[in-house]
Amino acid sequence: YCGFLHPLKGSNNLINFCKANLDRKIDVFGWAENENIIKELSLLNNVTIHNKVSHSEIADIFKKSNYICIRNS
């Protein structure tokens, strides 16, 4: 995941996905105003929280990824 973590952007869906897929390694590149979102994700052993990255770095991150989750609007 790359981007702003907020309930209106589906952060709860991301948290639920991470909990339901403990066998998958999930990298989160982002930030949140609500630190509880970061805290809840960081408690999961399969999630690695990374700092916010620049737009130019996102393409490289996507290229290295096996799967990409895209939020449905």
Side-chain angles (χ1 to χ4, degrees):
Y1 180 89
C2 293
F4 181 56
L5 295 160
H6 190 278
L8 293 176
K9 293 188 68 111
S11 62
N12 293 335
N13 293 333
L14 176 63
I15 292 168
N16 291 335
F17 178 84
C18 294
K19 288 179 178 179
N21 292 277
L22 295 174
D23 59 324
R24 295 180 188 257
K25 178 181 179 277
I26 301 168
D27 291 293
V28 176
F29 296 84
W31 69 102
E33 290 175 357
N34 182 345
E35 287 298 317
N36 289 331
I37 296 170
I38 299 289
K39 183 178 178 180
E40 189 168 357
L41 285 167
S42 65
L43 291 174
L44 299 169
N45 291 331
N46 61 327
V47 176
T48 303
I49 305 291
H50 303 272
N51 292 325
K52 181 179 172 181
V53 296
S54 70
H55 285 102
S56 62
E57 293 174 280
I58 291 173
D60 289 333
I61 291 166
F62 285 165
K63 286 178 188 174
K64 294 176 186 175
S65 300
N66 291 326
Y67 300 97
I68 299 171
C69 296
I70 299 174
R71 184 177 81 88
N72 197 0
S73 36

